[in-house]
Amino acid sequence: EAQVTQNPRYLITVTGKKLTVTCSQNMNHEYMSWYRQDPGLGLRQIYYSMNVEVTDKGDVPEGYKVSRKEKRNFPLILESPSPNQTSLYFCASSLTGGGFTEAFFGQGTRLTVV
Amino acid sequence: GQQLNQSPQSMFIQEGEDVSMNCTSSSIFNTWLWYKQDPGEGPVLLIALYKAGELTSNGRLTAQFGITRKDSFLNISASIPSDVGIYFCAGQSDTSGSRLTFGEGTQLTVNP
């Protein structure tokens, strides 16, 4: 089954403790991205990757890092989480970064930083 | 960055009623997408629009790509309780590459 898989689904952590949210897709998609969803703000892009070893900042990249060592994986790293990073996070992938194609989303990771 | 204004923010309707929501932008978009998000899930694509003026249906859903390329609307006919959720518009422009800009979402509640 074609899917985007995020882990964990829920995470509660303390300020300053490094964490990683994993994202994996099995569709051989080139383009992957991370979004955060906050009430009244819709989905805002954090980082995106056009292909392996190619990443770039989205609209709200501060406090986040990403890596794209393999095509299928695109982990989101919070080196020193803060309470304002409490949010619902979504990973998405699409076929190509050339012509635009629809994005497929993971089920989300609800992160709480206390 | 680019912004999409989506309205209304929320709707409370009776089962069987028709629903309409829209998105507008100050920028031109090449692609408009409409997603639905169920509680606790990620957004799922409903309809994709690629040409100005395009009108596309998916069951009870109909969406149009505005002729000015700065707006789009989504209609749901004869709503049912499972239509409940958050509906997002998203757009992609020449200047954004493969990046999507999302609207703030429309929370739809359908009363049986």
Side-chain angles (χ1 to χ4, degrees):
Chain A
E1 181 191 350
Q3 59 186 7
V4 178
T5 303
Q6 295 177 229
N7 279 296
R9 291 288 309 274
Y10 302 91
L11 180 59
I12 300 174
T13 190
V14 296
T15 299
K17 185 176 180 185
K18 180 179 177 180
L19 67 91
T20 300
V21 184
T22 63
C23 174
S24 179
Q25 49 94 4
N26 62 0
M27 296 169 278
N28 203 34
H29 284 172
E30 291 182 351
Y31 186 88
M32 297 185 74
S33 57
W34 276 101
Y35 295 86
R36 61 177 288 172
Q37 183 178 16
D38 303 290
L41 296 177
L43 288 141
R44 294 179 293 167
Q45 193 180 54
I46 302 169
Y47 266 94
Y48 65 97
S49 169
M50 302 279 281
N51 213 325
V52 175
E53 301 292 2
V54 181
T55 63
D56 210 344
K57 295 177 181 178
D59 297 315
V60 288
E62 293 78 21
Y64 304 95
K65 282 174 57 177
V66 293
S67 70
R68 188 92 182 273
K69 295 188 171 62
E70 313 161 273
K71 201 171 192 178
R72 61 183 293 127
N73 295 324
F74 190 45
L76 179 70
I77 302 152
L78 284 72
E79 295 271 4
S80 183
S82 61
N84 65 11
Q85 292 178 296
T86 293
S87 187
L88 180 57
Y89 291 86
F90 288 102
C91 178
S93 74
S94 55
L95 182 59
T96 177
F100 181 77
T101 55
E102 298 88 352
F104 294 85
F105 285 82
Q107 289 188 294
T109 296
R110 185 166 291 282
L111 172 66
T112 302
V113 184
V114 297
Chain B
Q2 296 167 325
Q3 288 188 324
L4 289 181
N5 297 310
Q6 186 172 349
S7 64
Q9 283 189 333
S10 60
M11 302 182 75
F12 297 84
I13 62 170
Q14 292 296 126
E15 183 176 359
E17 289 183 3
D18 296 344
V19 171
S20 185
M21 58 192 79
N22 69 82
C23 272
T24 59
S25 169
S26 56
S27 308
I28 288 175
F29 282 88
N30 295 326
T31 303
W32 284 95
L33 306 175
W34 285 93
Y35 286 87
K36 183 193 177 200
Q37 184 181 22
D38 290 324
E41 302 292 330
V44 174
L45 183 68
L46 298 173
I47 292 180
L49 302 159
Y50 296 103
K51 247 167 59 166
E54 181 180 355
L55 183 72
T56 297
S57 292
N58 177 7
R60 293 179 295 106
L61 278 60
T62 302
Q64 183 156 30
F65 192 142
I67 200 75
T68 65
R69 295 167 64 192
K70 292 184 178 182
D71 63 338
S72 177
F73 72 75
L74 174 72
N75 285 344
I76 305 173
S77 63
S79 58
I80 58 178
S82 62
D83 289 335
V84 164
I86 304 176
Y87 291 80
F88 289 101
C89 64
Q92 177 260 344
S93 68
D94 277 340
T95 57
S96 68
S98 291
R99 293 176 56 185
L100 283 177
T101 300
F102 280 83
E104 300 96 338
T106 296
Q107 173 72 61
L108 178 64
T109 302
V110 180
N111 296 314

